Amino acid sequence: MGKLSILCLKIILAIATAGALFVQFGMIPMIIFNDSPGTGAERLVSGSFLAYLFIAGLIIEACVYCVWKLATRVRRGTVFDPASLRYVSPIIFAFVIGALATFTLAAIFASSSEIAPGIVLLIGGAGVLMIGISFIVLVLRHLLEQAAQLRTELGEVI
């Protein structure tokens, strides 16, 4: 990866972090303060959605931090060091937690008569995609482990 592509990646990561922070500390409080009180079921749906948004922001921020650190290691040429693995595992766990939160939100929405079944299905599908992403990152983690091991072995040969 060249310097320009790393710079572009970091700009995108900074924008994603700014967006997540804006939603967490700007939009969610604004919705809470301006939301009209409703019935118990409406409050459950609204509250669970707002909690989900906050958790999603935390997950995005954790992933951005780890990808930022990995991009820095790529730029320095140290990404194949075994120490890089400590930045990959949190991404896997973040997506698993995100999938569990998504499935929980879908279950809460399914119990409400106000949410269309198609919406619940779409949310469940997003949870399945998150599980798929976590498996992809797990495979990439194993590839990084193998590359780090090969680099160590080549260093011993040379």
Side-chain angles (χ1 to χ4, degrees):
M1 269 181 106
K3 289 181 181 181
L4 182 61
S5 58
I6 299 258
L7 177 66
C8 290
L9 173 63
K10 287 187 173 184
I11 289 170
I12 291 168
L13 293 174
I15 292 169
T17 302
L21 289 171
F22 175 70
V23 168
Q24 284 177 304
F25 299 108
M27 296 298 294
I28 292 174
M30 188 171 26
I31 292 169
I32 290 171
F33 292 131
N34 293 325
D35 197 16
S36 61
T39 64
E42 290 173 349
R43 278 194 238 144
L44 176 66
V45 168
S46 175
S48 62
F49 181 68
L50 293 177
Y52 177 80
L53 285 178
F54 190 80
I55 291 169
L58 292 175
I59 290 168
I60 290 167
E61 292 156 9
C63 289
V64 163
Y65 173 78
C66 292
V67 172
W68 188 286
K69 294 299 256 184
L70 287 168
T72 301
R73 293 183 71 81
V74 167
R75 187 176 45 104
R76 293 181 185 156
T78 59
V79 75
F80 294 117
D81 185 6
S84 295
L85 297 174
R86 70 174 169 225
Y87 298 113
V88 180
S89 296
I91 296 171
I92 297 167
F93 292 125
F95 272 99
V96 169
I97 291 168
L100 293 174
T102 303
F103 291 139
T104 303
L105 182 68
I108 291 170
F109 279 9
S111 68
S112 172
S113 62
E114 299 172 12
I115 305 295
I119 299 294
V120 175
L121 184 63
L122 285 172
I123 293 171
V128 171
L129 286 174
M130 287 181 203
I131 291 291
I133 291 170
S134 67
F135 277 114
I136 291 170
V137 176
L138 179 65
V139 168
L140 293 175
R141 184 184 191 285
H142 289 302
L143 290 174
L144 184 60
E145 283 175 347
Q146 289 178 352
Q149 183 180 5
L150 287 173
R151 184 167 190 176
T152 303
E153 290 173 3
L154 282 175
E156 291 172 1
V157 170
I158 296 175

